[in-house]
Amino acid sequence: MTARIIDGKAIAASIRHDLKKVVDEMKVKGERIPGLAVILVGNDPASNVYVRGKRRDCEEVGFKSDSRSLNATTTEAELLGMIEALNNDPTIDGILVQLPLPEHIDPLAVMEAIHPNKDVDGFHPYNVGRLVLRHPGLRPCTPMGVMELLNRTHDSLLGMDATVIGVSNHVGRPMALELLLQGCSVAATHRFTNKTEEYVRYADIVISAVGIPGLIKGEWIKPGATVIDVGITRDANGKLKGDVEFEEASKRAGWITPVPGGVGPMTRVSMLQNVLYAKQHFHS
Ligand code: NAD
């Protein structure tokens, strides 16, 4: 068997195209366009790249983009004050604070300061709680993007066995909750799991979000399974690598995502979808 590739780049482009159409219609009707505020504290080069990417995405679909760069000595109180002002700004539907933050700022305090209806990262305890309780509102972007890929490649996920490797708060855990919500039986595995191979061999859907290249061996994949590789690691030559042995896994899987070009573009576009959702559901 040779797996079919799930082209996240193309799917994300088609979603951005649809988002732009919605925004164009808003403009024709004289409605306010969706607005995203992105706050960057400090000068981390990778964060700078991500923030620039988010601004470009906003421009492409026609959202208002409000980028704020604060220097690394900004106090937590100053940052919280800025968030409060954006919470009350009627032209802003989503607020993103780029992580990581300087050490003197508590990321949890920042996350909780963003109004849940403007929490387009989906990290606020209120939104996480809604997902746990099976009434999702704004959803964490990476798992949301993965669900879009799964729903575009499967008629139904009901009754499927899914294994999620890696259980971080913003990727693996909400990923497991999303899969439960769609009727999968879910194994959530992590650094202390003794039998990762067995959990992978059993799964109809394998989702790896660890950040260790080659951790998931191709020969572990059940024939016909769907493999979603969230992991992104830059190797010594600057090449991006996923967690899964892509070549070997492709010989067994039914569907597989590449790295890059799989989950990454979906994470970015899910955030845009959240901004539109926030505008339409909470701020119109
Ligand atoms: P994290 O470090 O917060 O969490 C890693 C998880 O992997 C933890 O739950 C840990 O227990 C588990 N783990 C560690 N070693 C393991 C092992 N040997 N076996 C099984 N599990 C193990 O990482 P994160 O922020 O969730 O990111 C994970 C990966 O996904 C990284 O490569 C990151 O760059 C990537 N990522 C990609 C996207 C995207 O859009 N494609 C988005 C977010 C993160």
Side-chain angles (χ1 to χ4, degrees):
M1 171 175 292
T2 307
R4 284 173 285 179
I5 304 292
I6 309 179
D7 187 345
K9 198 172 165 195
I11 294 172
S14 97
I15 294 173
R16 283 198 303 279
H17 176 79
D18 293 345
L19 286 170
K20 184 173 181 328
K21 277 209 293 208
V22 174
V23 175
D24 287 344
E25 279 163 26
M26 285 176 175
K27 286 180 183 162
V28 170
K29 288 187 202 150
E31 282 179 30
R32 179 178 69 78
I33 55 170
L36 172 71
V38 183
I39 306 176
L40 174 66
V41 187
N43 227 338
D44 178 55
S47 295
N48 264 311
V49 173
Y50 293 138
V51 168
R52 272 204 303 278
K54 283 165 187 168
R55 193 184 312 141
R56 258 200 323 274
D57 287 347
C58 280
E59 280 162 13
E60 184 182 337
V61 299
F63 288 178
K64 168 185 156 156
S65 152
D66 177 347
S67 299
R68 316 239 176 140
S69 289
L70 306 178
N71 69 49
T73 56
T74 302
T75 65
E76 186 175 303
E78 285 166 334
L79 178 58
L80 295 181
M82 181 176 280
I83 291 171
E84 187 54 23
L86 290 166
N87 280 339
N88 294 314
D89 183 337
T91 69
I92 293 298
D93 300 289
I95 303 169
L96 282 185
V97 178
Q98 185 64 47
L99 299 176
L101 287 164
E103 276 190 1
H104 64 277
I105 299 180
D106 173 9
L108 189 61
V110 170
M111 211 181 293
E112 291 186 358
I114 296 171
H115 192 286
N117 290 350
K118 295 194 177 188
D119 166 44
V120 289
D121 261 334
F123 294 164
H124 192 289
Y126 172 84
N127 285 317
V128 176
R130 289 205 66 122
L131 182 59
V132 172
L133 297 173
R134 297 184 276 178
H135 290 287
L138 290 168
R139 297 152 60 200
C141 298
T142 301
M144 177 174 161
V146 170
M147 294 315 291
E148 181 80 33
L149 295 180
L150 291 175
N151 286 320
R152 282 178 183 238
T153 44
H154 298 73
D155 292 333
S156 163
L157 306 182
L158 213 60
M160 293 180 86
D161 292 310
T163 292
V164 179
I165 307 112
V167 287
S168 69
N169 285 351
H170 53 290
V171 186
R173 266 162 218 265
M175 189 70 255
L177 291 167
E178 290 275 5
L179 290 160
L180 275 175
L181 202 53
Q182 294 222 356
C184 294
S185 305
V186 183
T189 70
H190 43 77
R191 69 178 81 236
F192 303 118
T193 301
N194 293 319
K195 298 175 183 164
T196 306
E197 176 179 343
E198 285 177 32
Y199 283 107
V200 171
R201 282 192 184 277
Y202 190 72
D204 304 310
I205 299 172
V206 177
I207 301 177
S208 187
V210 175
I212 301 180
L215 177 74
I216 308 301
K217 306 295 171 217
E219 54 152 349
W220 296 355
I221 303 300
K222 177 163 143 181
T226 296
V227 178
I228 307 283
D229 195 346
V230 181
I232 309 176
T233 309
R234 207 171 276 283
D235 72 9
N237 304 316
K239 212 171 157 221
L240 295 180
K241 296 275 186 196
D243 293 346
V244 179
E245 287 183 344
F246 182 82
E247 298 299 332
E248 285 306 308
S250 297
K251 292 179 191 156
R252 299 171 66 86
W255 290 99
I256 191 165
T257 58
V259 177
V263 176
M266 296 304 295
T267 297
R268 282 171 63 168
V269 82
S270 298
M271 191 274 296
L272 297 176
Q273 289 177 298
N274 272 345
V275 175
L276 179 65
Y277 181 95
K279 196 230 164 200
Q280 291 178 325
H281 287 79
F282 308 129
H283 313 130
S284 281

